[in-house]
Amino acid sequence: MIDNQTHHRPDLEEAAAVDSAKKGHIGRIVTFTMLGGFLAAVAFVTLPFAGAEEHVITGVVLFAFTSAWAMLAQLSTRRTDQPQRWAVVPAAVMGSSAVVVLVLAPTGNELGWIWPPAIVALVAWMVIRSRRALHSRTRMFVLYPVFASLVLAAIGGAYETYRETNDPSPSEMPGRLIDIGDHELHLSCTGVGSPIVVLEGGLGEPSTMMSSWIAPAVASTTRVCVYDRAGRGWSEPAAHAQDGVEAARDLHTLLHRAGEAGPYVLAGHSAGGIYVLNFAAAYPQDVAGVALLDSMHPQQYERMASWPGFYEMFRRASAVMPSLARLGMVRLSNETQYEGLPAPQRDQERAFLSTPRHNRSVRDEFHMIRRAMNEAATLKTLGDVPLAVVTAKLDHESDWFAMQDDLATLSTNSVHRDLPNATHEMVVGDEVTAHQASQTVLDVVRSVRTGTPVATQED
């Protein structure tokens, strides 16, 4: 007798179980691959490639997302009933872009008009394909935010390119460019008299900050020169990131070829003080006086408890900034900054500090700052050269104040002045505080002219 009841088929049950499992995997795979790509990108730029040059940072981030899209295509095809084969296209686009960036190491913004519309077109295509192939809430909650981020990046990149091309502020260059060998440096000198005062801006600062309040105040009494270190402001970049000795050589050649005769009074703010000390160590005969305006100390890494941690953090952050600047994110954050500066310098400061070019130079300078500090440490004394040390009191820790006292011992003819209501930035960026700093610079000038000690605050 034939049994007409349905018999259990293990092979059919197993196939049904696999099909059921496949239907449940797609959402997790989409989330896992996209989140994995983001986390991999963050890990790359903060761990093995921390502090790397712009093309390396951009390239490894693109490779991280290349892997994410490739994994989405592969895992969804093998493990779900909703294969996302279209994902191989963004994987190919980002992978090939990564190779081009890593090999060619572009430094300009020549493709700034090309890649943003290409990204928008790619996103539009991906939206259409994902709507057809992906039937999961992760399309709305995971993929669409990724697509939106790509579109925002494209819009930001197009805006950055437009602003770099059409912003008139950088074109209004005071002074001139002077060829010092393999690159040109910007120099602007105003006022009449001697000794000539040379102003050194802080880490990452173009000449616009020192041109705002301090240079005009000093120019009322003597001649004053501001300049841009290589890769900063209007100056061309050098062939490689420079240490303190190379920066001092650049400045010495620049002043000589410009016909600005020494010896000079050199005034440096923050890291600018490190470059002043390097110049004094290399060319002591050309130094008539020194003013250190809330200057860094050559032994800051060893003597300031918080500095090693800050150094490591900023080293990583500065490497990411050029890539973010290409997306317009740095410009967006700068739009409301530097309100305390005169209008021309404010606009120039915002324009310069927002570009990938500027942020590359900041990364390069910070990459070399420890070497520049070690080089400056070779200067043990200025003899009796007039020296003024100015210290902001509001935003520093005790180690900083001890090192400021130490800087004042570099000369037997020195004065140390505190600015009790000033922050580090206010020393050059705030009109009232910068006027106090300028008066200190002029006291050094007066000491050089008269051969008398630098005036104390009571004098």
Side-chain angles (χ1 to χ4, degrees):
M1 182 175 178
I2 300 176
D3 186 356
N4 290 324
Q5 293 182 343
T6 302
H7 292 277
H8 290 290
R9 293 281 304 276
D11 54 340
L12 293 178
E13 289 179 350
E14 182 179 349
V18 170
D19 288 341
S20 177
K22 276 190 172 185
K23 291 179 182 179
H25 279 315
I26 186 62
R28 292 197 295 271
I29 287 174
V30 171
T31 303
F32 167 75
T33 54
M34 293 298 102
L35 181 60
F38 172 76
L39 294 177
V42 172
F44 282 152
V45 301
T46 57
L47 295 173
F49 298 100
E53 295 177 278
E54 181 193 7
H55 68 283
V56 176
I57 294 293
T58 302
V60 297
V61 168
L62 286 171
F63 270 133
F65 284 103
T66 296
S67 300
W69 291 113
M71 288 178 64
L72 175 58
Q74 182 182 40
L75 293 178
S76 64
T77 300
R78 292 179 57 186
R79 299 189 179 184
T80 78
D81 60 351
Q82 296 186 51
Q84 307 298 308
R85 296 185 180 90
W86 58 270
V88 300
V89 174
V93 170
M94 293 186 182
S96 59
S97 299
V99 171
V100 170
V101 167
L102 288 170
V103 171
L104 299 183
T107 56
N109 216 9
E110 296 81 3
L111 296 179
W113 296 112
I114 299 174
W115 71 263
I119 290 293
V120 172
L122 176 63
V123 169
W125 180 85
M126 289 193 295
V127 168
I128 294 172
R129 294 305 300 265
S130 65
R131 283 175 61 87
R132 294 175 181 173
L134 180 60
H135 306 290
S136 166
R137 286 179 296 179
T138 51
R139 173 162 53 86
M140 177 68 69
F141 296 116
V142 178
L143 284 190
Y144 281 2
V146 172
F147 296 160
S149 298
L150 290 172
V151 171
L152 288 174
I155 293 172
Y159 177 70
E160 176 60 33
T161 302
Y162 170 79
R163 286 295 300 270
E164 288 183 39
T165 305
N166 294 281
D167 195 332
S169 299
S171 64
E172 300 168 355
M173 183 185 76
R176 52 186 171 143
L177 289 172
I178 296 175
D179 188 347
I180 65 164
D182 62 343
H183 56 285
E184 292 184 329
L185 293 183
H186 165 248
L187 178 72
S188 177
C189 299
T190 54
V192 195
S194 65
I196 296 173
V197 175
V198 180
L199 302 179
E200 280 276 11
L203 194 151
E205 276 295 340
S207 59
T208 48
M209 183 64 77
M210 295 298 250
S211 296
S212 298
W213 303 119
I214 292 186
V218 174
S220 65
T221 300
T222 192
R223 188 161 179 79
V224 59
C225 295
V226 295
Y227 83 109
D228 290 303
R229 293 190 289 273
R232 204 70 37 74
W234 289 280
S235 290
E236 293 180 346
H240 58 267
Q242 293 184 311
D243 60 21
V245 172
E246 291 167 322
R249 187 183 306 125
D250 268 12
L251 177 58
H252 188 262
T253 303
L254 173 68
L255 294 169
H256 175 73
R257 294 192 178 182
E260 303 291 346
Y264 315 98
V265 169
L266 294 112
H269 173 242
S270 190
I274 296 297
Y275 295 108
V276 165
L277 296 179
N278 270 291
F279 189 96
Y283 308 101
Q285 72 281 0
D286 287 325
V287 179
V290 170
L292 299 176
L293 309 179
D294 215 34
S295 169
M296 290 172 57
H297 190 281
Q299 296 175 337
Q300 192 163 306
Y301 193 92
E302 295 79 17
R303 292 179 56 181
M304 191 169 180
S306 64
W307 180 256
F310 169 79
Y311 174 82
E312 287 303 318
M313 178 193 70
F314 197 92
R315 184 176 69 88
R316 288 166 165 78
S318 65
V320 178
M321 295 305 288
S323 300
L324 295 180
R326 287 189 185 273
L327 306 181
M329 296 177 66
V330 178
R331 187 175 297 273
L332 182 64
S333 67
N334 282 337
E335 287 297 331
T336 58
Q337 301 299 312
Y338 316 108
E339 289 290 348
L341 302 183
Q345 286 81 13
R346 177 200 64 206
D347 295 341
Q348 290 164 353
E349 188 85 356
R350 289 174 177 173
F352 282 132
L353 268 62
S354 299
T355 64
R357 174 184 181 271
H358 170 83
N359 284 277
R360 278 195 305 275
S361 76
V362 174
R363 178 264 168 200
D364 290 346
E365 184 172 20
F366 202 79
H367 182 71
M368 300 296 288
I369 194 64
R370 283 194 66 188
R371 181 184 298 182
M373 292 163 68
N374 290 336
E375 292 163 342
T378 63
L379 179 69
K380 302 303 181 183
T381 180
L382 291 166
D384 62 352
V385 168
L387 165 67
V389 175
V390 174
T391 303
K393 299 293 286 187
L394 287 185
D395 59 352
H396 293 306
E397 54 197 89
S398 58
D399 292 340
W400 179 270
F401 301 128
M403 289 186 292
Q404 294 289 296
D405 290 335
D406 187 56
L407 289 172
T409 66
L410 284 173
S411 173
T412 57
N413 178 16
S414 69
V415 64
H416 186 181
R417 296 179 180 172
D418 292 335
L419 300 177
N421 299 314
T423 65
H424 184 68
E425 290 76 15
M426 289 171 65
V427 173
V428 293
D430 173 73
E431 183 176 6
V432 174
T433 310
H435 176 73
Q436 295 174 291
S438 302
Q439 286 302 120
T440 300
V441 175
L442 291 177
D443 285 342
V444 174
V445 170
R446 189 177 301 110
S447 176
V448 172
R449 285 176 175 175
T450 62
T452 57
V454 184
T456 65
Q457 285 179 301
E458 289 75 19
D459 297 336

